[in-house]
Amino acid sequence: AQVLLAESAMLTGHVDEATNALARARELKPQSPLPAIVEANMLELEGDFGAARALLETVTTRKDVEAKAFVDLARVTERAGDAAAARAAWERLLQRQPAHPEGLYGLAHLLWLSGDRTRADEIIVGAVRSQPTPSAVLEGVLARYYASTGRQREALDAARRASTLAPDDVAALRQVAMAQMNAGDRAAAVATARDMSKRFPEDALAWSALAITAAVAGDHAVAGPAFERWMALAPNDPEAVSSLGYFLHLQGDDARARTVLAAGTARFPAYGNLWLNYAVVLEALHDAAADDARRKAASLMTAEQRATLAR
């Protein structure tokens, strides 16, 4: 319960409460690896990738540790710029769980970035196709992989397979909308997202899809209320803050955009997209701080964020 409290406090920006809950969790169960994993997540959110990595490297030496620790270790190691160590961490995860979705994506994507593209495709496509029954989760991971490697038609095909297998999965449906947008079919993307917002009116993912696809399609009358609804439903989502800020810039309201994005960078200091959009707005306002914000964005944005940035 204390670990859950710590995670909730962390995600809502209550750092002191999270720290106190973790201390209590350690008192109650000194041998549990969970407090260390949550602490590492907090360090990553704060941008201290080195400390997070060190903590996770210690945690993953334990035999009883859950797969999430390997996912977190691989991710933070990659963000720290050590691609070789990140690949090794993904490989360790896949040795434990050969079809782990995050592991398949992480290893394949790093191999693709390194230039070993044939092997990258073989790893993830082979795993997806070798399953005894089709998997919506794995098809979704394949769609994500194709999108991040610039193959938008293949991403759309995989996203459609995932949504066919899981027709009520909002995340799978959102992937279809985003893939349609990236493949150039903006009208279809907006229509898919609009249908989602009607079917799932209380789901932030549905409104995020409508906000982004409508904005990219130039339909600001639809996008504006969708962004506000997304923010209302997911106030702790840094992507919601980042996207709203950029949309305000598109509308010419750079003053409010700066306020929104400045608050976002203070609360989510390690989220690269926020810093990029903040830099764009500061440049529009001829603010000298824009250069620092752009450098911060360059150091924090992941390869996937760069590849899938919606404009």
Side-chain angles (χ1 to χ4, degrees):
Q2 292 297 323
V3 167
L4 291 174
L5 175 60
E7 288 182 320
S8 177
M10 172 185 69
L11 294 173
T12 53
H14 297 89
V15 178
D16 290 342
E17 188 175 345
T19 301
N20 292 336
L22 287 178
R24 181 60 176 150
R26 287 189 170 99
E27 291 174 1
L28 293 168
K29 201 169 184 179
Q31 300 306 314
S32 174
L34 293 178
I37 294 173
V38 177
E39 182 181 352
N41 295 158
M42 289 177 60
L43 289 167
E44 182 184 357
L45 287 175
E46 294 166 1
D48 194 345
F49 303 139
R53 175 182 177 178
L55 194 55
L56 289 165
E57 284 176 338
T58 299
V59 171
T60 52
T61 61
R62 300 179 49 151
K63 293 182 179 180
D64 61 339
V65 72
E66 59 186 68
K68 181 183 183 302
F70 290 92
V71 173
D72 294 347
L73 174 61
R75 182 186 62 248
V76 79
T77 301
E78 183 175 349
R79 296 194 72 185
D82 193 340
R87 285 199 301 272
W90 289 125
E91 288 167 350
R92 288 173 65 194
L93 172 61
L94 290 172
Q95 287 171 0
R96 292 164 59 103
Q97 296 183 24
H100 192 286
E102 286 290 328
L104 289 172
Y105 173 83
L107 180 57
H109 190 231
L110 279 178
L111 289 170
W112 175 275
L113 292 175
S114 74
D116 196 352
R117 297 184 172 185
T118 299
R119 185 179 170 216
D121 282 357
E122 289 173 348
I123 285 174
I124 191 166
V125 177
V128 173
R129 296 288 168 259
S130 66
Q131 298 305 303
T133 57
S135 167
V137 172
L138 291 181
E139 290 289 356
V141 166
L142 186 58
R144 177 185 169 195
Y145 170 70
Y146 280 135
S148 66
T149 55
R151 291 173 285 180
Q152 305 304 341
R153 282 294 165 187
E154 291 89 340
L156 179 54
D157 290 342
R160 283 173 170 158
R161 290 193 295 270
S163 66
T164 298
L165 291 166
D168 295 322
D169 186 325
V170 183
L173 294 169
R174 184 183 187 278
Q175 271 195 316
V176 173
M178 302 306 289
Q180 288 171 323
M181 179 188 75
N182 291 329
D185 196 346
R186 294 177 176 178
V190 174
T192 298
R194 193 190 298 273
D195 180 65
M196 289 174 60
S197 68
K198 292 176 180 177
R199 290 181 60 194
F200 308 100
E202 300 301 318
D203 197 300
L205 285 177
W207 289 100
S208 73
L210 182 58
I212 293 171
T213 57
V216 170
D219 192 344
H220 289 191
V222 171
F227 273 113
E228 299 292 351
R229 181 64 174 153
W230 180 12
M231 274 294 301
L233 290 169
N236 302 311
D237 180 359
E239 186 57 30
V241 180
S242 176
S243 298
L244 174 60
Y246 187 76
F247 178 70
L248 291 169
H249 164 68
L250 291 181
Q251 290 190 305
D253 192 352
D254 286 316
R256 185 184 171 204
R258 175 165 55 185
T259 299
V260 168
L261 293 168
T265 56
R267 185 170 176 194
F268 309 104
Y271 198 75
N273 279 2
L274 266 167
W275 286 101
L276 177 63
N277 289 335
Y278 192 32
V280 169
V281 170
L282 292 176
E283 286 166 353
L285 293 168
H286 307 290
D287 191 316
D291 289 342
D292 286 340
R294 193 166 283 279
R295 281 191 290 270
K296 193 79 170 178
S299 69
L300 290 170
M301 287 184 73
T302 66
E304 182 177 10
Q305 286 175 332
R306 294 188 186 94
T308 58
L309 186 67
R311 285 291 192 246

